[in-house]
Amino acid sequence: MPALTAKVMKRIRAKGRGWVFTPKDFIDFGTRGAVDVTLSRLMQTGAIRRVGRGLYDYPKHHAKLGALSPDSDSLANAVSVQSGVKIFPSGAVSANSLGLSTQVPARITYATSGPTRIKKVAGRTIADRKSTRLNSSHVSESRMPS
């Protein structure tokens, strides 16, 4: 196993099954071209799976169902890394995950510092809504508790 492939697989295994990632997560190991070739080879061997353009995952396996789809939060985080914007779960998603509400949102949306967009990845729809409150100019470190 070449050195780059071993480094990439070591990081993937360290993050654990269910991790969704982009080539940017391995750019510290070598050139973008070398990372792309390594991920392509790992995909061909079945070690990882391509779930979208420039998005891969290390799938969780179920005894009867086989490889499971990645969860929405992992997909959204990988898409935000890919596009270079910040994302945070919307109010309804946050309330449900904290147990403050029993309502499950039909479409999971995220507040983003980037443009509003809807992206389909791995059979799921990820909706990002632009929020001006996420810009760094509105969040000052002086307001953060020390």
Side-chain angles (χ1 to χ4, degrees), residues 87-110:
I87 63 161
F88 296 95
S90 67
V93 174
S94 297
N96 179 266
S97 64
L98 291 171
L100 301 174
S101 171
T102 57
Q103 294 179 340
V104 179
R107 181 189 292 177
I108 298 176
T109 59
Y110 295 88

Side-chain angles (χ1 to χ4, degrees), residues 20-35:
V20 182
F21 52 91
T22 70
K24 286 184 179 181
D25 292 310
F26 307 102
I27 206 68
D28 57 326
F29 291 156
T31 65
R32 176 63 189 259
V35 170

